[in-house]
Amino acid sequence: MSLINILKFKCPKCKEGAIFNSNHQLFSFHVPKMHTRCDKCNLKFEKESGFFIGAMYVSYGITVAEFLMVFIIFYFVLKVSLLTAFMVVVGVIILASILNFKLARTLWIYLFYNK
Ligand SMILES: [Zn+2]
């Protein structure tokens, strides 16, 4: 399991095929389209129906980690007010939501991929 391949959202089997449609920007608010199968090795990404429901737990974990990191940096290091720190956290989480979605699904695919 290579971190670089996860961050590039590449297929766990061939490390070449893209899991998501690449023609969307990082901070767009369109839900990214997932390929059903890898276009290089034909690996099916959604193993069974409802497979990605579990990825919501991963997404939750990523979001909580981001929340804590941003909050600690702004409130305890930069010493902004509680309200400002909270608003920054909310802004960061909204901006990162699409990235979190893609990251959570990719991690979930890697977690359940057996060679
Ligand atoms: Zn592949």
Side-chain angles (χ1 to χ4, degrees), residues 11 14 17 38 40-41:
C11 164
C14 66
C38 176
K40 303 276 186 214
C41 69

Short mmCIF file of all heavy atoms in Angstrom, two decimals, residues 11 14 17 38 40-41, ligand 1:
data_model
loop_
_atom_site.label_atom_id
_atom_site.label_comp_id
_atom_site.label_asym_id
_atom_site.label_seq_id
_atom_site.Cartn_x
_atom_site.Cartn_y
_atom_site.Cartn_z
N CYS A 11 -5.50 3.15 -9.00
CA CYS A 11 -5.98 1.78 -8.79
C CYS A 11 -4.98 1.00 -7.90
O CYS A 11 -3.78 1.08 -8.12
CB CYS A 11 -6.13 1.13 -10.15
SG CYS A 11 -6.28 -0.65 -10.12
N CYS A 14 -3.04 -2.07 -10.36
CA CYS A 14 -2.04 -1.75 -11.39
C CYS A 14 -1.31 -0.43 -11.12
O CYS A 14 -0.29 -0.16 -11.73
CB CYS A 14 -2.70 -1.70 -12.76
SG CYS A 14 -3.89 -0.35 -12.94
N GLY A 17 -4.32 3.06 -13.41
CA GLY A 17 -5.67 3.54 -13.72
C GLY A 17 -6.18 4.48 -12.64
O GLY A 17 -5.90 4.30 -11.46
N CYS A 38 -11.36 -0.17 -13.24
CA CYS A 38 -10.09 0.43 -13.65
C CYS A 38 -9.98 0.36 -15.17
O CYS A 38 -10.23 -0.70 -15.76
CB CYS A 38 -8.95 -0.33 -12.99
SG CYS A 38 -7.33 0.24 -13.53
N LYS A 40 -7.33 0.44 -16.88
CA LYS A 40 -6.09 -0.23 -17.29
C LYS A 40 -6.16 -1.75 -17.05
O LYS A 40 -5.79 -2.54 -17.89
CB LYS A 40 -4.88 0.32 -16.52
CG LYS A 40 -4.69 1.81 -16.66
CD LYS A 40 -3.93 2.18 -17.91
CE LYS A 40 -3.64 3.66 -17.90
NZ LYS A 40 -3.67 4.25 -19.22
N CYS A 41 -6.60 -2.16 -15.85
CA CYS A 41 -6.57 -3.59 -15.50
C CYS A 41 -7.96 -4.17 -15.25
O CYS A 41 -8.08 -5.35 -14.94
CB CYS A 41 -5.70 -3.82 -14.27
SG CYS A 41 -6.39 -3.16 -12.74
ZN ZN B 1 -5.95 -0.98 -12.38
#
